[in-house]
Amino acid sequence: MRTPRNDQLSQTDRAGKRGDHVPERRCVVTGEVAPAERLVRLALGPDGTIAPDVLGKAPGRGAWIGVDRATLEAAQAKGKLKGGLARALHEGAITIPDDLGERIEAQLRRATLDRLGLESRSGTLISGNEKIEQAARKGQIRLLLHASDAGEDGRKKLAQAWRVGEEDEGSGREGVILPVDRQSLSMALGRENAVHLGVTDARAADRVLAHLSRWQFFTGWSRDAANRGPGMDSRTAGEGAAPDGTVQSDAF
């Protein structure tokens, strides 16, 4: 009997088993610590303005958050965010844009769609109901994704094929409903009518989920039945898989 391939580890888990260092950061809002890949970095510009840096590549000093948009904006309104940033960055003269939450959400969306586009071009992401169903029944799908306006019948049919291929019937897992419709997804991928997507490589699935889970968590998106997420086993993760809401500061 074929061994089910649904016990893949996340990037963080793999690094831990290899003994590699997993960077952690502390949230300036909650004070909690988590792996940096689950958090959102805020960069301090030369003029003292705070800007989102979801890819973590901007130069200079930065601080980290791991809260959703509603919590962030509440902390900003009360002055708690500015106080936390000032302490983490050792800088009192900072400016926080009023639309910081909106900017973060836009960057998270762009980063996720860009990631899907990269996986598509590298051949680790497939689309088309028939193609995905065939691959799923062979146990070749590592992550199943659906546009927000995908039909229920189509989602259920592909999810059933996925469970069969993974020898995991009865689990109820259905894949992840993305926070974008088919039109936006098709434009991002450069494909016509991209409604359902299948990721065929475990590491590629981790890369997609690293971006997607942060985006889902920050926006509070819950219309998903994610079977797994960063640091989660595909058998046990439940609906609304997302980061754990923690964060940290840095000084680069």
Side-chain angles (χ1 to χ4, degrees):
M1 179 181 294
R2 180 174 56 81
T3 302
R5 294 166 53 192
N6 57 3
D7 58 350
Q8 300 296 323
L9 299 174
S10 71
Q11 293 174 332
T12 301
D13 291 336
R14 288 196 187 97
K17 286 187 175 293
R18 291 195 304 264
D20 295 349
H21 174 64
V22 178
E24 293 186 332
R25 298 290 185 265
R26 184 181 303 281
C27 178
V28 298
V29 176
T30 67
E32 298 178 10
V33 175
E37 68 177 16
R38 300 182 183 179
L39 312 179
V40 174
R41 184 174 186 262
L42 301 179
L44 178 66
D47 61 352
T49 300
I50 297 295
D53 174 31
V54 302
L55 297 181
K57 295 182 178 180
R61 289 176 290 168
W64 299 74
I65 62 164
V67 293
D68 60 24
R69 180 172 173 176
T71 302
L72 176 73
E73 291 179 343
Q76 184 174 352
K78 296 176 181 178
K80 184 177 181 180
L81 176 61
K82 187 170 185 178
L85 287 170
R87 289 189 295 273
L89 299 169
H90 305 290
E91 177 65 60
I94 61 176
T95 301
I96 304 175
D98 292 337
D99 62 346
L100 178 63
E102 181 179 348
R103 295 188 188 190
I104 294 173
E105 183 172 337
Q107 278 200 16
L108 290 171
R109 181 183 191 275
R110 183 73 265 160
T112 303
L113 294 178
D114 285 349
R115 184 72 258 169
L116 289 173
L118 288 171
E119 299 303 341
S120 176
R121 290 190 288 276
S122 68
T124 59
L125 183 146
I126 61 176
S127 62
N129 291 29
E130 184 176 345
K131 192 172 183 179
I132 294 174
E133 183 176 3
Q134 291 178 355
R137 290 189 180 279
K138 295 177 182 178
Q140 297 173 348
I141 297 297
R142 308 307 305 127
L143 178 64
L144 182 62
L145 304 167
H146 313 285
S148 61
D149 56 347
E152 183 178 3
D153 289 345
R155 296 200 313 267
K156 288 185 175 180
K157 182 178 180 180
L158 293 180
Q160 174 63 19
W162 190 27
R163 293 192 294 268
V164 169
E166 290 294 310
E167 297 181 7
D168 200 20
E169 294 180 78
S171 67
R173 59 180 179 155
E174 300 178 359
V176 181
I177 300 178
L178 297 166
V180 291
D181 60 19
R182 67 184 70 194
Q183 181 178 1
S184 298
L185 198 56
S186 298
M187 290 179 61
L189 299 178
R191 301 185 182 187
E192 292 186 4
N193 200 32
V195 182
H196 307 282
L197 304 174
V199 182
T200 60
D201 177 80
R203 289 185 178 275
D206 280 337
R207 291 191 293 266
V208 170
L209 282 168
H211 289 290
L212 176 58
S213 60
R214 287 193 304 164
W215 181 23
Q216 287 178 308
F217 173 73
F218 187 74
T219 60
W221 177 259
S222 60
R223 287 189 57 207
D224 64 287
N227 73 301
R228 60 192 288 268
M232 297 180 181
D233 186 273
S234 60
R235 292 183 180 272
T236 59
E239 294 191 1
D244 55 9
T246 53
V247 295
Q248 177 174 348
S249 64
D250 66 66
F252 297 149

